[in-house]
């Protein structure tokens, strides 16, 4: 009888893809099928994130709960970024954990399964030749890794220590993945990497010289793929050629993630982000000049050590100038193995809290005003997911989520949709004959 796998995935899209990879390995080589029930599972996996401290604390309480619920003989495995940085400590703290598998080692899942108390956390392990597999949680959109690891040294970020140095995946493998996905019915690909537009900096073997812009052209030549998205790009690597390709290539979706982190050039320097406030604003200006309809999202950290009121005001200033469509904002969280954990002048936690509240309120004000522009507009929507009450959800090219009344037949299709009700997260619309504007 097939064994049952319960898997919980925390964190980013890279982790989601890693989970898909582990599911594929376990189903093909070990005859596992997925279950939603911890109690029924023969194997319980938590694919962890370590970017901020809170999820790490949560991990141990969650492990305790899983251990109580699990059936006799079931195994618990801890995978992902926290597995990479805590390694053996996890088994010391939670001795019922069967194995620990780092973010760079997910392809070894079927190996560690049979090695009691195995700890595989080698950040030099090279998965760039085979980080692929067929399992996809959605048939309509395919996540495809284009690189592993990260070479940047942002002083707040633990990722380079958990995912190791950056290696680009050979372009032919990426194109083959996109072709396979298209053959299986996906019309959208989502290219993934910690720093996608640094693609081509290093391959693990012989490879023709290629940058991200060239890779985008290669992927967009794949027949059947109609939409390309990617995450995360870095503002430092947004050269003109890349922005122009982004704007002019009709298959590339017009939604760009531009992680600002801070609007103060002083803090950006302390973060070792490699750009200034002026560079960031200049890139936004260039992007909007070549692609006026683009939607821009960002990540912002408040209360980085040494952030003064003036520095914070500069972040608000950038927000007012750019008017981001979406933000992901966080209080700075000191992380082990990072340079900034030892920085002086931590910001008072009350001040940090206040800054986050102010920043989020400003964003809400901007966004509530900006989203009104969608009312009555007609967009082409790609439908991906059933929603409750007989609605189907999809996305516009600029990443606006829209639901319309309908059923399965809409999934995997493009339709023109008029926005009838504007909302913060999911807009409502109706399918129309009229062409998208
Ligand atoms: N504290 C707070 N936020 C962080 N991020 C990364 N490291 C930290 C940290 N130590 C945020 C950044 C990054 C996003 C994925 O998580 O904004 O872009
Ligand atoms: Fe972290 Fe910076 Fe790499 Fe992003 S680019 S993963 S923030 S080190």
């Amino acid at each position: 009888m097939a064994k049952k796998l319960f898997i919980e995935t925390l964190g980013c899209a890279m982790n989601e893809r890693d989970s898909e990879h582990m599911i594929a390995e376990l189903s093909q080589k070990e005859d596992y099928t997925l279950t939603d029930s911890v109690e029924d599972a023969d194997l319980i996996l938590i694919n962890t994130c370590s970017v901020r401290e809170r999820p790490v604390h949560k991990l141990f309480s969650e492990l305790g709960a899983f251990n109580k619920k699990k059936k006799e003989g079931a195994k618990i495995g801890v995978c992902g970024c926290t597995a990479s940085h805590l390694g053996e400590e996890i088994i010391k703290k939670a001795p019922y954990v069967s194995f620990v598998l780092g973010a760079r080692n997910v392809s070894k899942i079927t190996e560690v399964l049979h090695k009691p108390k195995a700890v595989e956390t080698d950040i030099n392990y090279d998965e760039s030749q085979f980080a692929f597999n067929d399992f996809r949680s959605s048939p309509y959109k395919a996540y495809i890794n284009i690189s592993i690891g990260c070479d940047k040294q942002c002083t707040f970020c633990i990722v380079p220590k958990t995912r190791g140095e950056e290696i680009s995946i050979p372009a032919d493998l990426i194109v083959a993945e996109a072709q396979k996905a298209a053959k299986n019915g996906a019309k959208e690909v989502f290219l993934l990497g910690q720093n996608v537009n640094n693609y081509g900096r290093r391959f693990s073997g012989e490879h023709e010289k290629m940058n991200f812009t060239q890779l985008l052209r290669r992927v967009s030549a794949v027949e059947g793929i109609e939409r390309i998205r990617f995450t995360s790009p870095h503002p430092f690597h947004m050269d003109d050629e890349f922005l122009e390709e982004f704007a002019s290539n009709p298959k590339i979706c017009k939604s760009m993630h531009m992680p600002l982190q801070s609007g103060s050039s002083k803090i950006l320097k302390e973060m070792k982000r490699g750009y200034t406030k002026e560079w960031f604003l200049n890139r936004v200006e260039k992007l909007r000049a070549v692609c006026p309809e683009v939607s821009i999202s960002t990540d912002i950290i408040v209360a980085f050590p040494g952030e003064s009121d003036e520095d914070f005001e500069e972040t608000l200033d950038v927000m007012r100038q750019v008017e981001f469509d979406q933000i992901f904002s966080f209080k700075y969280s000191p992380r082990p193995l990072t340079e900034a954990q030892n920085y002086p002048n931590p910001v008072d936690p009350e001040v940090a809290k206040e800054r986050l509240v102010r920043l989020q309120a400003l964003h809400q004000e901007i966004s509530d005003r900006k989203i009104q522009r969608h009312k009555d507009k007609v967009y082409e929507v790609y439908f991906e997911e059933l929603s409750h009450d007989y609605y189907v959800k999809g996305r516009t090219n600029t990443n606006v989520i829209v639901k319309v009344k309908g059923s399965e037949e809409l999934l995997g299709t493009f339709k023109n949709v008029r926005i009838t009700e504007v909302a913060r997260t999911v807009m409502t619309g109706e399918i129309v004959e009229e062409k998208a504007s």
Side-chain angles (χ1 to χ4, degrees), residues 179-234:
Q179 285 165 336
K180 211 160 42 164
K183 221 161 89 202
N184 292 336
K187 297 188 179 110
E188 179 174 313
V189 291
F190 211 127
L191 307 179
L192 298 179
Q194 228 58 52
N195 190 356
V196 282
N197 52 342
N198 199 27
Y199 180 81
R201 177 184 155 95
R202 182 192 305 113
F203 293 95
S204 62
E206 278 286 300
H207 195 280
E208 66 186 293
K209 212 168 147 14
M210 185 173 304
N211 63 22
F212 186 54
T213 306
Q214 290 160 324
L215 178 72
L216 284 171
R217 289 186 195 127
R218 287 275 299 271
V219 174
S220 62
V222 173
E223 217 176 298
I225 295 301
E226 296 182 43
R227 279 189 175 185
I228 301 173
R229 296 186 195 274
F230 51 82
T231 204
S232 282
H234 194 298

Side-chain angles (χ1 to χ4, degrees), residues 210-393:
M210 185 173 304
N211 63 22
F212 186 54
T213 306
Q214 290 160 324
L215 178 72
L216 284 171
R217 289 186 195 127
R218 287 275 299 271
V219 174
S220 62
V222 173
E223 217 176 298
I225 295 301
E226 296 182 43
R227 279 189 175 185
I228 301 173
R229 296 186 195 274
F230 51 82
T231 204
S232 282
H234 194 298
F236 175 79
H237 299 290
M238 293 192 178
D239 55 30
D240 285 356
E241 192 202 13
F242 164 63
L243 295 181
E244 280 156 18
E245 179 67 22
F246 175 88
S248 62
N249 187 326
K251 289 194 180 178
I252 299 178
C253 288
K254 304 304 180 242
S255 115
M256 183 79 91
H257 189 58
M258 291 182 75
L260 169 66
Q261 312 300 1
S262 168
S264 151
S265 294
K266 182 191 102 193
I267 295 295
L268 287 169
K269 196 160 174 210
E270 301 279 311
M271 289 176 163
K272 296 203 175 145
R273 289 289 291 171
Y275 55 85
T276 57
K277 173 184 182 180
E278 289 70 30
W279 167 260
F280 188 91
L281 289 172
N282 171 280
R283 292 297 83 192
V284 171
E285 196 184 329
K286 168 79 192 178
L287 175 59
R288 290 218 165 112
V290 290
C291 188
E293 75 273 29
V294 67
S295 74
I296 304 180
S297 58
T298 197
D299 292 343
I300 296 177
I301 298 176
V302 301
F304 186 76
E307 185 187 73
S308 64
D309 286 341
E310 291 74 31
D311 294 320
F312 177 62
E313 287 301 327
E314 293 216 53
T315 300
L316 299 183
D317 177 48
V318 174
M319 285 179 61
R320 287 190 196 97
Q321 290 196 51
V322 176
E323 302 202 322
F324 294 106
D325 294 274
Q326 196 179 13
I327 66 166
F328 301 91
S329 51
F330 317 97
K331 268 186 291 185
Y332 170 68
S333 163
R335 307 304 298 123
L337 311 173
T338 62
E339 212 179 310
Q341 70 168 325
N342 302 317
Y343 280 8
N345 307 321
V347 174
D348 178 274
E350 278 308 306
V351 174
K353 215 166 65 210
E354 251 169 57
R355 285 184 186 165
L356 189 65
V357 169
R358 269 187 73 197
L359 181 124
Q360 290 176 341
L362 173 62
H363 171 68
Q364 219 41 264
E365 190 189 308
I366 292 170
S367 158
D368 284 348
R369 177 166 40 78
K370 265 189 95 175
I371 56 178
Q372 297 307 325
R373 73 187 189 284
H374 298 303
K375 180 95 172 93
D376 294 328
K377 288 267 167 51
V378 176
Y379 297 115
E380 190 177 50
V381 172
Y382 181 52
F383 289 99
E384 297 162 29
E385 203 188 322
L386 290 177
S387 180
H388 45 77
D389 292 343
Y390 309 102
Y391 278 100
V392 187
K393 275 198 288 195

